[in-house]
Amino acid sequence: MEYKDLTEKEKIPALGLGTWHMGGGFRPDSSEDGKYLEAIDYAIGKGLTHLDTAELYGDGHAEELVGQVIKNFERKNLFITSKVSPVHLGYETILRSCEASRKRLGTDYIDLYLVHWPNPLASMKNAMAAFDKLVETGSVRFIGLSNFSAGQFAAAQKHARNKLVCDQVRYSLLDRRPEKELLDFCEKEKIILTAYSPLAEGRLAEMKIEALAQVAKKHGKTPVQVALRWLIDKPAVITIPKASSKEHIDEILGTLGWQLEKEDQERLDKA
Ligand code: NAP
């Protein structure tokens, strides 16, 4: 695994496994539990020890699936991210949501706990007070946000005593919005930018993009591996593709251990 600095003392795996749509969409769906349990178990066994989930995914069932698998692994070797839904951003509701997530995950602590989306109706002062409380009681190790702009992030940080260490946002070769402002902000403030939907929900694997194919050929890699490498070659960026077959997980792991050259980056940036 490759790591990035989460804080001065703590590292975060640069590549993780996403779990959206494992165990259902907005409602729980157990019909493919076997497939997802096998995929999560296989991924961790192969070293993808960073798992990204949320109370929203399958209305908690994705966390239950992760929980079933991680009881077979040593907890300290894993990095678990989960998220509180924007409708639960009251002080007490955050504490209850986190408790419920920990129960479903079968873990005493969540490594990184995020606000899933901003909610203009919620008080960030109260939300950040609850996040600080979760750190101080040991329920979570680190706190952060998701889908927040640089301005929203900076405003939220003013209410939190603990550093917000991560902003998780949509970022891929097909969606470059974070490059407008957020990427520079994260690099400057030493915040991890976690790129979600890094394969544009699978479209990057299906589309025939000439530049991607040529860079992949040059390195003896696949377009999927180049698309993910393009992200984690950026100093502040990590990523969490979702994959539910051994073949896809193996391909994703081939992102590690090599680097794009400057000319490859430029070519992909332009394309
Ligand atoms: P994604 O990772 O861009 O794409 C997932 C899709 O790519 C799946 O259909 C998967 O298929 C396919 N895939 C994976 N590896 C492949 C390969 N080697 N070849 C071909 N296809 C491949 O999309 P995502 O799930 O939206 O994003 C990743 C994670 O980010 C989520 O699971 C979730 O944890 C997180 N996320 C967070 C937010 C947020 O608001 N914070 C929003 C969306 C997502 P299989 O499943 O069949 O392997």
Side-chain angles (χ1 to χ4, degrees), residues 169-200:
V169 294
R170 185 181 294 271
Y171 187 26
S172 74
L173 273 169
L174 292 185
D175 191 331
R176 313 279 293 275
R177 278 174 289 183
E179 291 171 9
K180 280 196 193 117
E181 188 182 16
L182 190 66
L183 188 58
D184 283 348
F185 172 78
C186 287
E187 281 180 15
K188 188 164 152 277
E189 299 296 327
K190 298 201 183 333
I191 293 159
I192 287 289
L193 189 158
T194 303
Y196 76 67
S197 303
L199 300 174

PDB file of all heavy atoms in Angstrom, residues 169-200:
ATOM      1  N   VAL A 169     -14.793  14.360  -2.146  1.00  0.00           N
ATOM      2  CA  VAL A 169     -15.591  14.968  -3.221  1.00  0.00           C
ATOM      3  C   VAL A 169     -15.472  14.140  -4.500  1.00  0.00           C
ATOM      4  O   VAL A 169     -14.540  13.361  -4.667  1.00  0.00           O
ATOM      5  CB  VAL A 169     -15.122  16.420  -3.517  1.00  0.00           C
ATOM      6  CG1 VAL A 169     -15.391  17.335  -2.341  1.00  0.00           C
ATOM      7  CG2 VAL A 169     -13.650  16.464  -3.888  1.00  0.00           C
ATOM      8  N   ARG A 170     -16.414  14.366  -5.420  1.00  0.00           N
ATOM      9  CA  ARG A 170     -16.382  13.697  -6.722  1.00  0.00           C
ATOM     10  C   ARG A 170     -15.211  14.256  -7.539  1.00  0.00           C
ATOM     11  O   ARG A 170     -15.111  15.472  -7.718  1.00  0.00           O
ATOM     12  CB  ARG A 170     -17.696  13.964  -7.459  1.00  0.00           C
ATOM     13  CG  ARG A 170     -17.845  13.239  -8.775  1.00  0.00           C
ATOM     14  CD  ARG A 170     -19.152  13.601  -9.424  1.00  0.00           C
ATOM     15  NE  ARG A 170     -20.294  13.121  -8.646  1.00  0.00           N
ATOM     16  CZ  ARG A 170     -20.852  11.920  -8.799  1.00  0.00           C
ATOM     17  NH1 ARG A 170     -20.412  11.106  -9.715  1.00  0.00           N
ATOM     18  NH2 ARG A 170     -21.877  11.566  -8.053  1.00  0.00           N
ATOM     19  N   TYR A 171     -14.329  13.357  -7.980  1.00  0.00           N
ATOM     20  CA  TYR A 171     -13.161  13.814  -8.746  1.00  0.00           C
ATOM     21  C   TYR A 171     -12.649  12.663  -9.600  1.00  0.00           C
ATOM     22  O   TYR A 171     -12.381  11.574  -9.081  1.00  0.00           O
ATOM     23  CB  TYR A 171     -12.068  14.300  -7.775  1.00  0.00           C
ATOM     24  CG  TYR A 171     -10.863  14.967  -8.417  1.00  0.00           C
ATOM     25  CD1 TYR A 171     -10.943  15.609  -9.643  1.00  0.00           C
ATOM     26  CD2 TYR A 171      -9.622  14.957  -7.765  1.00  0.00           C
ATOM     27  CE1 TYR A 171      -9.828  16.224 -10.208  1.00  0.00           C
ATOM     28  CE2 TYR A 171      -8.505  15.575  -8.321  1.00  0.00           C
ATOM     29  CZ  TYR A 171      -8.617  16.197  -9.551  1.00  0.00           C
ATOM     30  OH  TYR A 171      -7.514  16.806 -10.101  1.00  0.00           O
ATOM     31  N   SER A 172     -12.560  12.913 -10.876  1.00  0.00           N
ATOM     32  CA  SER A 172     -12.027  11.905 -11.799  1.00  0.00           C
ATOM     33  C   SER A 172     -11.590  12.627 -13.065  1.00  0.00           C
ATOM     34  O   SER A 172     -11.831  13.833 -13.223  1.00  0.00           O
ATOM     35  CB  SER A 172     -13.107  10.872 -12.147  1.00  0.00           C
ATOM     36  OG  SER A 172     -14.060  11.447 -13.033  1.00  0.00           O
ATOM     37  N   LEU A 173     -10.999  11.876 -13.983  1.00  0.00           N
ATOM     38  CA  LEU A 173     -10.621  12.468 -15.277  1.00  0.00           C
ATOM     39  C   LEU A 173     -11.828  13.087 -15.969  1.00  0.00           C
ATOM     40  O   LEU A 173     -11.688  13.997 -16.770  1.00  0.00           O
ATOM     41  CB  LEU A 173     -10.012  11.390 -16.176  1.00  0.00           C
ATOM     42  CG  LEU A 173      -8.508  11.163 -16.031  1.00  0.00           C
ATOM     43  CD1 LEU A 173      -8.094   9.908 -16.778  1.00  0.00           C
ATOM     44  CD2 LEU A 173      -7.723  12.375 -16.538  1.00  0.00           C
ATOM     45  N   LEU A 174     -13.027  12.585 -15.669  1.00  0.00           N
ATOM     46  CA  LEU A 174     -14.233  13.111 -16.318  1.00  0.00           C
ATOM     47  C   LEU A 174     -14.916  14.210 -15.509  1.00  0.00           C
ATOM     48  O   LEU A 174     -15.867  14.816 -15.992  1.00  0.00           O
ATOM     49  CB  LEU A 174     -15.246  11.982 -16.560  1.00  0.00           C
ATOM     50  CG  LEU A 174     -14.868  10.917 -17.588  1.00  0.00           C
ATOM     51  CD1 LEU A 174     -16.023   9.957 -17.803  1.00  0.00           C
ATOM     52  CD2 LEU A 174     -14.474  11.560 -18.920  1.00  0.00           C
ATOM     53  N   ASP A 175     -14.485  14.429 -14.300  1.00  0.00           N
ATOM     54  CA  ASP A 175     -15.089  15.484 -13.468  1.00  0.00           C
ATOM     55  C   ASP A 175     -13.982  16.224 -12.731  1.00  0.00           C
ATOM     56  O   ASP A 175     -13.454  15.746 -11.722  1.00  0.00           O
ATOM     57  CB  ASP A 175     -16.091  14.895 -12.468  1.00  0.00           C
ATOM     58  CG  ASP A 175     -16.907  16.000 -11.814  1.00  0.00           C
ATOM     59  OD1 ASP A 175     -16.391  17.134 -11.680  1.00  0.00           O
ATOM     60  OD2 ASP A 175     -18.066  15.744 -11.444  1.00  0.00           O
ATOM     61  N   ARG A 176     -13.646  17.398 -13.270  1.00  0.00           N
ATOM     62  CA  ARG A 176     -12.446  18.097 -12.796  1.00  0.00           C
ATOM     63  C   ARG A 176     -12.788  19.288 -11.901  1.00  0.00           C
ATOM     64  O   ARG A 176     -11.925  20.144 -11.668  1.00  0.00           O
ATOM     65  CB  ARG A 176     -11.656  18.594 -14.032  1.00  0.00           C
ATOM     66  CG  ARG A 176     -11.473  17.519 -15.125  1.00  0.00           C
ATOM     67  CD  ARG A 176     -10.332  16.608 -14.783  1.00  0.00           C
ATOM     68  NE  ARG A 176      -9.086  17.330 -14.843  1.00  0.00           N
ATOM     69  CZ  ARG A 176      -8.367  17.524 -15.947  1.00  0.00           C
ATOM     70  NH1 ARG A 176      -8.792  17.024 -17.076  1.00  0.00           N
ATOM     71  NH2 ARG A 176      -7.241  18.196 -15.916  1.00  0.00           N
ATOM     72  N   ARG A 177     -14.010  19.340 -11.392  1.00  0.00           N
ATOM     73  CA  ARG A 177     -14.423  20.522 -10.623  1.00  0.00           C
ATOM     74  C   ARG A 177     -13.503  20.870  -9.445  1.00  0.00           C
ATOM     75  O   ARG A 177     -13.252  22.043  -9.200  1.00  0.00           O
ATOM     76  CB  ARG A 177     -15.874  20.375 -10.152  1.00  0.00           C
ATOM     77  CG  ARG A 177     -16.867  20.762 -11.226  1.00  0.00           C
ATOM     78  CD  ARG A 177     -18.280  20.486 -10.814  1.00  0.00           C
ATOM     79  NE  ARG A 177     -18.554  19.062 -10.791  1.00  0.00           N
ATOM     80  CZ  ARG A 177     -19.727  18.538 -10.511  1.00  0.00           C
ATOM     81  NH1 ARG A 177     -20.745  19.310 -10.192  1.00  0.00           N
ATOM     82  NH2 ARG A 177     -19.896  17.236 -10.536  1.00  0.00           N
ATOM     83  N   PRO A 178     -12.968  19.850  -8.720  1.00  0.00           N
ATOM     84  CA  PRO A 178     -12.103  20.228  -7.579  1.00  0.00           C
ATOM     85  C   PRO A 178     -10.879  21.033  -7.974  1.00  0.00           C
ATOM     86  O   PRO A 178     -10.274  21.695  -7.134  1.00  0.00           O
ATOM     87  CB  PRO A 178     -11.689  18.859  -6.999  1.00  0.00           C
ATOM     88  CG  PRO A 178     -12.793  17.941  -7.397  1.00  0.00           C
ATOM     89  CD  PRO A 178     -13.228  18.405  -8.768  1.00  0.00           C
ATOM     90  N   GLU A 179     -10.516  20.994  -9.261  1.00  0.00           N
ATOM     91  CA  GLU A 179      -9.316  21.725  -9.688  1.00  0.00           C
ATOM     92  C   GLU A 179      -9.534  23.235  -9.708  1.00  0.00           C
ATOM     93  O   GLU A 179      -8.572  24.001  -9.749  1.00  0.00           O
ATOM     94  CB  GLU A 179      -8.872  21.235 -11.073  1.00  0.00           C
ATOM     95  CG  GLU A 179      -8.348  19.811 -11.003  1.00  0.00           C
ATOM     96  CD  GLU A 179      -8.086  19.191 -12.356  1.00  0.00           C
ATOM     97  OE1 GLU A 179      -8.154  19.904 -13.370  1.00  0.00           O
ATOM     98  OE2 GLU A 179      -7.837  17.977 -12.395  1.00  0.00           O
ATOM     99  N   LYS A 180     -10.787  23.665  -9.678  1.00  0.00           N
ATOM    100  CA  LYS A 180     -11.052  25.112  -9.714  1.00  0.00           C
ATOM    101  C   LYS A 180     -10.485  25.790  -8.467  1.00  0.00           C
ATOM    102  O   LYS A 180      -9.919  26.861  -8.545  1.00  0.00           O
ATOM    103  CB  LYS A 180     -12.561  25.377  -9.799  1.00  0.00           C
ATOM    104  CG  LYS A 180     -13.093  25.212 -11.206  1.00  0.00           C
ATOM    105  CD  LYS A 180     -14.477  25.832 -11.373  1.00  0.00           C
ATOM    106  CE  LYS A 180     -15.093  25.367 -12.666  1.00  0.00           C
ATOM    107  NZ  LYS A 180     -16.309  24.578 -12.478  1.00  0.00           N
ATOM    108  N   GLU A 181     -10.673  25.151  -7.306  1.00  0.00           N
ATOM    109  CA  GLU A 181     -10.274  25.817  -6.066  1.00  0.00           C
ATOM    110  C   GLU A 181      -9.864  24.819  -4.974  1.00  0.00           C
ATOM    111  O   GLU A 181      -8.878  25.001  -4.263  1.00  0.00           O
ATOM    112  CB  GLU A 181     -11.458  26.672  -5.558  1.00  0.00           C
ATOM    113  CG  GLU A 181     -11.109  27.559  -4.402  1.00  0.00           C
ATOM    114  CD  GLU A 181     -12.311  28.364  -3.893  1.00  0.00           C
ATOM    115  OE1 GLU A 181     -13.472  28.016  -4.242  1.00  0.00           O
ATOM    116  OE2 GLU A 181     -12.093  29.320  -3.146  1.00  0.00           O
ATOM    117  N   LEU A 182     -10.652  23.740  -4.857  1.00  0.00           N
ATOM    118  CA  LEU A 182     -10.507  22.855  -3.692  1.00  0.00           C
ATOM    119  C   LEU A 182      -9.144  22.162  -3.625  1.00  0.00           C
ATOM    120  O   LEU A 182      -8.569  22.021  -2.538  1.00  0.00           O
ATOM    121  CB  LEU A 182     -11.639  21.808  -3.701  1.00  0.00           C
ATOM    122  CG  LEU A 182     -11.743  20.989  -2.421  1.00  0.00           C
ATOM    123  CD1 LEU A 182     -12.149  21.857  -1.238  1.00  0.00           C
ATOM    124  CD2 LEU A 182     -12.748  19.843  -2.594  1.00  0.00           C
ATOM    125  N   LEU A 183      -8.631  21.738  -4.765  1.00  0.00           N
ATOM    126  CA  LEU A 183      -7.361  21.000  -4.763  1.00  0.00           C
ATOM    127  C   LEU A 183      -6.234  21.863  -4.195  1.00  0.00           C
ATOM    128  O   LEU A 183      -5.480  21.411  -3.318  1.00  0.00           O
ATOM    129  CB  LEU A 183      -7.050  20.534  -6.191  1.00  0.00           C
ATOM    130  CG  LEU A 183      -5.873  19.583  -6.361  1.00  0.00           C
ATOM    131  CD1 LEU A 183      -6.049  18.313  -5.545  1.00  0.00           C
ATOM    132  CD2 LEU A 183      -5.700  19.233  -7.839  1.00  0.00           C
ATOM    133  N   ASP A 184      -6.149  23.105  -4.644  1.00  0.00           N
ATOM    134  CA  ASP A 184      -5.115  24.021  -4.126  1.00  0.00           C
ATOM    135  C   ASP A 184      -5.332  24.289  -2.636  1.00  0.00           C
ATOM    136  O   ASP A 184      -4.387  24.319  -1.854  1.00  0.00           O
ATOM    137  CB  ASP A 184      -5.168  25.377  -4.863  1.00  0.00           C
ATOM    138  CG  ASP A 184      -4.531  25.283  -6.231  1.00  0.00           C
ATOM    139  OD1 ASP A 184      -3.861  24.262  -6.517  1.00  0.00           O
ATOM    140  OD2 ASP A 184      -4.722  26.216  -7.043  1.00  0.00           O
ATOM    141  N   PHE A 185      -6.598  24.475  -2.275  1.00  0.00           N
ATOM    142  CA  PHE A 185      -6.934  24.721  -0.862  1.00  0.00           C
ATOM    143  C   PHE A 185      -6.444  23.551  -0.001  1.00  0.00           C
ATOM    144  O   PHE A 185      -5.812  23.737   1.042  1.00  0.00           O
ATOM    145  CB  PHE A 185      -8.452  24.907  -0.736  1.00  0.00           C
ATOM    146  CG  PHE A 185      -8.972  24.988   0.672  1.00  0.00           C
ATOM    147  CD1 PHE A 185      -8.856  26.157   1.410  1.00  0.00           C
ATOM    148  CD2 PHE A 185      -9.596  23.895   1.264  1.00  0.00           C
ATOM    149  CE1 PHE A 185      -9.349  26.239   2.716  1.00  0.00           C
ATOM    150  CE2 PHE A 185     -10.090  23.955   2.561  1.00  0.00           C
ATOM    151  CZ  PHE A 185      -9.965  25.138   3.287  1.00  0.00           C
ATOM    152  N   CYS A 186      -6.723  22.328  -0.448  1.00  0.00           N
ATOM    153  CA  CYS A 186      -6.343  21.141   0.335  1.00  0.00           C
ATOM    154  C   CYS A 186      -4.819  21.023   0.434  1.00  0.00           C
ATOM    155  O   CYS A 186      -4.284  20.711   1.504  1.00  0.00           O
ATOM    156  CB  CYS A 186      -6.927  19.866  -0.287  1.00  0.00           C
ATOM    157  SG  CYS A 186      -8.704  19.744  -0.026  1.00  0.00           S
ATOM    158  N   GLU A 187      -4.143  21.288  -0.672  1.00  0.00           N
ATOM    159  CA  GLU A 187      -2.669  21.191  -0.636  1.00  0.00           C
ATOM    160  C   GLU A 187      -2.098  22.215   0.341  1.00  0.00           C
ATOM    161  O   GLU A 187      -1.232  21.907   1.141  1.00  0.00           O
ATOM    162  CB  GLU A 187      -2.088  21.394  -2.038  1.00  0.00           C
ATOM    163  CG  GLU A 187      -2.220  20.119  -2.862  1.00  0.00           C
ATOM    164  CD  GLU A 187      -1.666  20.233  -4.270  1.00  0.00           C
ATOM    165  OE1 GLU A 187      -0.930  21.189  -4.560  1.00  0.00           O
ATOM    166  OE2 GLU A 187      -1.995  19.349  -5.089  1.00  0.00           O
ATOM    167  N   LYS A 188      -2.643  23.424   0.278  1.00  0.00           N
ATOM    168  CA  LYS A 188      -2.124  24.507   1.126  1.00  0.00           C
ATOM    169  C   LYS A 188      -2.409  24.239   2.611  1.00  0.00           C
ATOM    170  O   LYS A 188      -1.554  24.434   3.458  1.00  0.00           O
ATOM    171  CB  LYS A 188      -2.790  25.817   0.686  1.00  0.00           C
ATOM    172  CG  LYS A 188      -2.232  27.049   1.317  1.00  0.00           C
ATOM    173  CD  LYS A 188      -2.664  28.299   0.553  1.00  0.00           C
ATOM    174  CE  LYS A 188      -2.726  29.504   1.434  1.00  0.00           C
ATOM    175  NZ  LYS A 188      -3.941  29.665   2.208  1.00  0.00           N
ATOM    176  N   GLU A 189      -3.618  23.761   2.896  1.00  0.00           N
ATOM    177  CA  GLU A 189      -4.032  23.578   4.293  1.00  0.00           C
ATOM    178  C   GLU A 189      -3.697  22.187   4.829  1.00  0.00           C
ATOM    179  O   GLU A 189      -4.076  21.834   5.936  1.00  0.00           O
ATOM    180  CB  GLU A 189      -5.556  23.807   4.423  1.00  0.00           C
ATOM    181  CG  GLU A 189      -6.024  25.195   4.023  1.00  0.00           C
ATOM    182  CD  GLU A 189      -5.479  26.296   4.926  1.00  0.00           C
ATOM    183  OE1 GLU A 189      -5.289  26.047   6.130  1.00  0.00           O
ATOM    184  OE2 GLU A 189      -5.236  27.399   4.407  1.00  0.00           O
ATOM    185  N   LYS A 190      -3.027  21.380   4.007  1.00  0.00           N
ATOM    186  CA  LYS A 190      -2.672  20.000   4.394  1.00  0.00           C
ATOM    187  C   LYS A 190      -3.913  19.193   4.795  1.00  0.00           C
ATOM    188  O   LYS A 190      -4.001  18.608   5.869  1.00  0.00           O
ATOM    189  CB  LYS A 190      -1.620  19.998   5.507  1.00  0.00           C
ATOM    190  CG  LYS A 190      -0.309  20.658   5.096  1.00  0.00           C
ATOM    191  CD  LYS A 190       0.823  20.192   5.983  1.00  0.00           C
ATOM    192  CE  LYS A 190       2.151  20.841   5.718  1.00  0.00           C
ATOM    193  NZ  LYS A 190       2.426  21.346   4.399  1.00  0.00           N
ATOM    194  N   ILE A 191      -4.859  19.214   3.873  1.00  0.00           N
ATOM    195  CA  ILE A 191      -6.110  18.452   4.021  1.00  0.00           C
ATOM    196  C   ILE A 191      -6.108  17.381   2.934  1.00  0.00           C
ATOM    197  O   ILE A 191      -5.719  17.654   1.790  1.00  0.00           O
ATOM    198  CB  ILE A 191      -7.323  19.402   3.836  1.00  0.00           C
ATOM    199  CG1 ILE A 191      -7.385  20.411   4.992  1.00  0.00           C
ATOM    200  CG2 ILE A 191      -8.634  18.607   3.735  1.00  0.00           C
ATOM    201  CD1 ILE A 191      -8.177  21.657   4.652  1.00  0.00           C
ATOM    202  N   ILE A 192      -6.529  16.179   3.289  1.00  0.00           N
ATOM    203  CA  ILE A 192      -6.612  15.109   2.287  1.00  0.00           C
ATOM    204  C   ILE A 192      -7.875  15.312   1.446  1.00  0.00           C
ATOM    205  O   ILE A 192      -8.969  15.499   1.990  1.00  0.00           O
ATOM    206  CB  ILE A 192      -6.648  13.729   2.982  1.00  0.00           C
ATOM    207  CG1 ILE A 192      -5.265  13.373   3.548  1.00  0.00           C
ATOM    208  CG2 ILE A 192      -7.140  12.637   2.032  1.00  0.00           C
ATOM    209  CD1 ILE A 192      -4.194  13.039   2.522  1.00  0.00           C
ATOM    210  N   LEU A 193      -7.700  15.266   0.124  1.00  0.00           N
ATOM    211  CA  LEU A 193      -8.860  15.289  -0.775  1.00  0.00           C
ATOM    212  C   LEU A 193      -9.097  13.839  -1.210  1.00  0.00           C
ATOM    213  O   LEU A 193      -8.270  13.245  -1.893  1.00  0.00           O
ATOM    214  CB  LEU A 193      -8.576  16.196  -1.982  1.00  0.00           C
ATOM    215  CG  LEU A 193      -9.783  16.492  -2.894  1.00  0.00           C
ATOM    216  CD1 LEU A 193      -9.544  17.781  -3.685  1.00  0.00           C
ATOM    217  CD2 LEU A 193     -10.099  15.365  -3.861  1.00  0.00           C
ATOM    218  N   THR A 194     -10.210  13.267  -0.745  1.00  0.00           N
ATOM    219  CA  THR A 194     -10.543  11.902  -1.154  1.00  0.00           C
ATOM    220  C   THR A 194     -11.430  11.972  -2.392  1.00  0.00           C
ATOM    221  O   THR A 194     -12.524  12.552  -2.356  1.00  0.00           O
ATOM    222  CB  THR A 194     -11.298  11.151  -0.034  1.00  0.00           C
ATOM    223  OG1 THR A 194     -10.496  11.168   1.144  1.00  0.00           O
ATOM    224  CG2 THR A 194     -11.575   9.708  -0.434  1.00  0.00           C
ATOM    225  N   ALA A 195     -10.954  11.382  -3.487  1.00  0.00           N
ATOM    226  CA  ALA A 195     -11.699  11.420  -4.750  1.00  0.00           C
ATOM    227  C   ALA A 195     -12.711  10.274  -4.771  1.00  0.00           C
ATOM    228  O   ALA A 195     -12.314   9.100  -4.774  1.00  0.00           O
ATOM    229  CB  ALA A 195     -10.739  11.285  -5.917  1.00  0.00           C
ATOM    230  N   TYR A 196     -14.009  10.627  -4.768  1.00  0.00           N
ATOM    231  CA  TYR A 196     -15.010   9.558  -4.929  1.00  0.00           C
ATOM    232  C   TYR A 196     -15.476   9.491  -6.379  1.00  0.00           C
ATOM    233  O   TYR A 196     -15.202  10.395  -7.174  1.00  0.00           O
ATOM    234  CB  TYR A 196     -16.155   9.682  -3.919  1.00  0.00           C
ATOM    235  CG  TYR A 196     -17.224  10.738  -4.120  1.00  0.00           C
ATOM    236  CD1 TYR A 196     -18.133  10.707  -5.182  1.00  0.00           C
ATOM    237  CD2 TYR A 196     -17.392  11.750  -3.179  1.00  0.00           C
ATOM    238  CE1 TYR A 196     -19.140  11.656  -5.326  1.00  0.00           C
ATOM    239  CE2 TYR A 196     -18.392  12.721  -3.315  1.00  0.00           C
ATOM    240  CZ  TYR A 196     -19.262  12.657  -4.395  1.00  0.00           C
ATOM    241  OH  TYR A 196     -20.257  13.590  -4.529  1.00  0.00           O
ATOM    242  N   SER A 197     -16.131   8.382  -6.721  1.00  0.00           N
ATOM    243  CA  SER A 197     -16.481   8.088  -8.127  1.00  0.00           C
ATOM    244  C   SER A 197     -15.276   8.307  -9.053  1.00  0.00           C
ATOM    245  O   SER A 197     -15.403   8.973 -10.090  1.00  0.00           O
ATOM    246  CB  SER A 197     -17.688   8.910  -8.584  1.00  0.00           C
ATOM    247  OG  SER A 197     -18.802   8.683  -7.747  1.00  0.00           O
ATOM    248  N   PRO A 198     -14.104   7.745  -8.697  1.00  0.00           N
ATOM    249  CA  PRO A 198     -12.884   8.013  -9.474  1.00  0.00           C
ATOM    250  C   PRO A 198     -12.923   7.377 -10.860  1.00  0.00           C
ATOM    251  O   PRO A 198     -12.170   7.777 -11.737  1.00  0.00           O
ATOM    252  CB  PRO A 198     -11.783   7.368  -8.626  1.00  0.00           C
ATOM    253  CG  PRO A 198     -12.484   6.263  -7.899  1.00  0.00           C
ATOM    254  CD  PRO A 198     -13.849   6.814  -7.577  1.00  0.00           C
ATOM    255  N   LEU A 199     -13.816   6.391 -11.037  1.00  0.00           N
ATOM    256  CA  LEU A 199     -13.977   5.764 -12.356  1.00  0.00           C
ATOM    257  C   LEU A 199     -15.243   6.284 -13.035  1.00  0.00           C
ATOM    258  O   LEU A 199     -15.747   5.668 -13.973  1.00  0.00           O
ATOM    259  CB  LEU A 199     -14.037   4.238 -12.213  1.00  0.00           C
ATOM    260  CG  LEU A 199     -12.785   3.594 -11.570  1.00  0.00           C
ATOM    261  CD1 LEU A 199     -12.985   2.107 -11.340  1.00  0.00           C
ATOM    262  CD2 LEU A 199     -11.549   3.857 -12.435  1.00  0.00           C
ATOM    263  N   ALA A 200     -15.757   7.410 -12.544  1.00  0.00           N
ATOM    264  CA  ALA A 200     -17.009   7.982 -13.049  1.00  0.00           C
ATOM    265  C   ALA A 200     -18.085   6.897 -13.060  1.00  0.00           C
ATOM    266  O   ALA A 200     -18.767   6.686 -14.068  1.00  0.00           O
ATOM    267  CB  ALA A 200     -16.807   8.615 -14.427  1.00  0.00           C
TER     268      ALA A 200
END
